[in-house]
Amino acid sequence: MINVSSLIKLLNKNKSDFFTGVPDSVLKELSAALQNQSKKKHIIATSEGSAISIGIGHYLSTKKVPVIYMQNSGLSNALNPLISIAHKKVYSIPLILIIGWRGSPNIKKDEPQHNVKGKITEKILKLLNIKYTIIRSVPDLKKFEKQIKFAKKNNSIVACLIEQKTLEKSKTKSKKKDFYNLNKEIFLKTLINSLKKNTKIISSTGYNSRELMYIREKYNIKNSKDFYMVGGMGHTSSVALGYSLSTKHKTICIDGDGSLLMHLGSIKTLGTFANENLKYILMNNNAHDSVGGQRTYANKINFNKLSKSLGFKKFHIISNKKNLKEKINKFLSERNISFLEVKVANNKINELPRPSNLIEIKNEFMK
Ligand SMILES: Cc1ncc(C[n+]2csc(CCOP(=O)(O)OP(=O)(O)O)c2C)c(N)n1
């Protein structure tokens, strides 16, 4: 086990005091330790590629090596600027990567999508010629420090891999704060109860999909079918668009604010090309709830103006349970491409199930 402050101290000692990244549950203690830093020291990015790029910019202006944190699933988002800008044979920009290693072969059980990425994470780093340390205990920090010194001297990229349960839990447990109030279980239950047969739902990575699956099972609601985006964060709306264009049935996209912001450009494609059978629902809790509740800052966005300027014809908003059924039905019966923002509280269900029989879920969805 490692105390996250010893890792931060080591980085600071080596003159790296600027952090940027996308939150990850494995690294939530790191997020917690950074949460009160000013924006000169810590930026929560919307995608891992942006985080790498913010880090590159930081280096160009300060000559100091930035620290970029991410889950290994986001390593693929990071690849473009890592290879095409920062790589030794391009601009040779020194960077320090802290990577949460879901699905590590050393961990007994993880979800299918993490097992696939976990197995090839080291191979990806090797392919990129990135030196790395697997940090499991205090002596590993020394090895990592040596690699950092080498990277600084040689203007190269260095990484560490951190598995689940490596970072010690902080004693002062900070409770996740709700930004909005509406209970998601109430909203989702009312929504799926209002759907007609043959309606399809495509839902985003993290709690949205797990809550939907839980509620469907708990209340045994069988009138519609779901495709859970267990990975591919940020691509929910694109899958929904691709699906909806070749069917007459209603296709509901249930997205998260973190997920929407990760590939915000996709919503423009939706606004341009979607038909009226596609209904886009944003579950806005202003947080990356699934990985520790870090802020997304989505509360500052005027989704009415944004969605309209991106091609949606109608905008609806729900922020409490008053007339919930009526409001949902009004949205669902719109004859135009429409956007619904639902201002929700964080998840309140303990022990959420995880979609695991994925091929069965796909086959059921495609029936
Ligand atoms: C590419 C990628 N980066 C990071 C993650 C880790 N991750 C899983 S869920 C999640 C937060 C999603 O936030 P949001 O869409 O707002 O949904 P919420 O968690 O609030 O329900 C993150 C960052 C991931 N799965 N994939």
Side-chain angles (χ1 to χ4, degrees), residues 22-23 48 71 73-74 77 184 205-208 233 256-259 262 285 287-291:
V22 175
E48 291 79 1
Q71 182 180 98
S73 56
N77 278 339
K184 266 201 267 181
T205 314
Y207 282 162
N208 281 337
M233 181 174 161
D257 44 319
S259 169
M262 184 164 273
N285 56 0
H288 295 276
D289 188 16
S290 322
V291 290

Side-chain angles (χ1 to χ4, degrees), residues 48-75:
E48 291 79 1
S50 310
I52 296 288
S53 311
I54 293 167
I56 290 170
H58 176 80
Y59 173 76
L60 293 177
S61 67
T62 63
K63 300 193 182 87
K64 287 204 280 185
V65 185
V67 184
I68 298 141
Y69 62 88
M70 68 187 80
Q71 182 180 98
N72 57 335
S73 56
L75 190 53

Side-chain angles (χ1 to χ4, degrees), residues 73-84:
S73 56
L75 190 53
S76 330
N77 278 339
L79 286 182
N80 183 9
L82 268 181
I83 297 171
S84 305

Side-chain angles (χ1 to χ4, degrees), residues 49-295:
S50 310
I52 296 288
S53 311
I54 293 167
I56 290 170
H58 176 80
Y59 173 76
L60 293 177
S61 67
T62 63
K63 300 193 182 87
K64 287 204 280 185
V65 185
V67 184
I68 298 141
Y69 62 88
M70 68 187 80
Q71 182 180 98
N72 57 335
S73 56
L75 190 53
S76 330
N77 278 339
L79 286 182
N80 183 9
L82 268 181
I83 297 171
S84 305
I85 298 289
H87 194 276
K88 189 94 192 127
K89 292 192 173 155
V90 186
Y91 278 111
S92 193
I93 306 231
L95 306 170
I96 300 172
L97 312 183
I98 299 182
I99 303 171
W101 193 6
R102 294 293 301 265
S104 150
N106 197 45
I107 299 280
K108 275 199 200 89
K109 210 173 158 244
D110 211 327
E111 294 160 68
Q113 70 279 12
H114 291 307
N115 291 335
V116 174
K117 194 58 169 283
K119 250 195 199 151
I120 59 169
T121 297
E122 285 183 275
K123 287 187 191 144
I124 295 175
L125 294 176
K126 283 179 189 152
L127 204 58
L128 298 179
N129 255 328
I130 296 178
K131 288 200 184 340
Y132 64 91
T133 305
I134 300 170
I135 295 186
R136 292 191 173 120
S137 59
V138 177
D140 298 325
L141 289 176
K142 273 264 157 278
K143 186 178 163 205
F144 187 41
E145 187 170 17
K146 264 196 197 148
Q147 289 182 337
I148 290 175
K149 290 199 154 90
F150 178 86
K152 280 176 69 173
K153 232 200 219 146
N154 291 276
N155 287 336
S156 57
I157 304 167
V158 66
C160 68
L161 291 172
I162 298 184
E163 291 154 329
Q164 279 166 304
K165 297 190 182 142
T166 298
L167 296 182
E168 269 170 29
K169 283 210 164 81
S170 75
K171 284 173 196 107
T172 51
K173 209 173 168 253
S174 60
K175 233 182 141 255
K176 277 194 252 173
K177 280 196 201 103
D178 285 322
F179 204 84
Y180 300 119
N181 301 319
L182 179 60
N183 182 300
K184 266 201 267 181
E185 181 166 355
I186 295 175
F187 173 80
L188 286 173
K189 184 184 159 204
T190 317
L191 172 75
I192 46 179
N193 264 323
S194 314
L195 298 176
K196 295 214 173 80
K197 218 172 166 239
N198 289 325
T199 305
K200 303 292 174 102
I201 302 182
I202 296 165
S203 55
S204 63
T205 314
Y207 282 162
N208 281 337
S209 285
R210 293 173 62 191
E211 286 161 325
L212 182 61
M213 188 172 131
Y214 167 87
I215 289 161
R216 196 177 276 295
E217 279 168 13
K218 180 173 168 186
Y219 299 102
N220 197 21
I221 311 172
K222 292 196 170 134
N223 56 353
S224 50
K225 290 198 177 126
D226 313 326
F227 185 78
Y228 308 115
M229 294 284 290
V230 293
M233 181 174 161
H235 295 299
T236 319
S237 62
S238 300
V239 174
L241 174 65
Y243 184 83
S244 66
L245 288 174
S246 302
T247 176
K248 287 214 160 41
H249 298 301
K250 251 188 200 119
T251 308
I252 315 257
C253 173
I254 300 184
D255 216 350
D257 44 319
S259 169
L260 166 67
L261 291 174
M262 184 164 273
H263 297 297
L264 190 61
S266 313
I267 203 76
K268 165 64 185 152
T269 315
L270 211 105
T272 307
F273 292 102
N275 295 326
E276 65 177 54
N277 65 331
L278 194 143
K279 303 282 166 206
Y280 182 87
I281 302 180
L282 171 66
M283 304 289 272
N284 187 2
N285 56 0
N286 192 33
H288 295 276
D289 188 16
S290 322
V291 290
Q294 302 86 346
R295 306 263 310 255

Side-chain angles (χ1 to χ4, degrees), residues 271-272 274 304 307-316 334-339:
T272 307
N304 185 1
S307 61
K308 296 262 180 67
S309 62
L310 295 180
F312 287 80
K313 295 283 178 287
K314 295 279 178 181
F315 174 79
H316 293 237
E334 278 291 359
R335 297 216 146 232
N336 267 310
I337 156 160
S338 28
F339 187 115

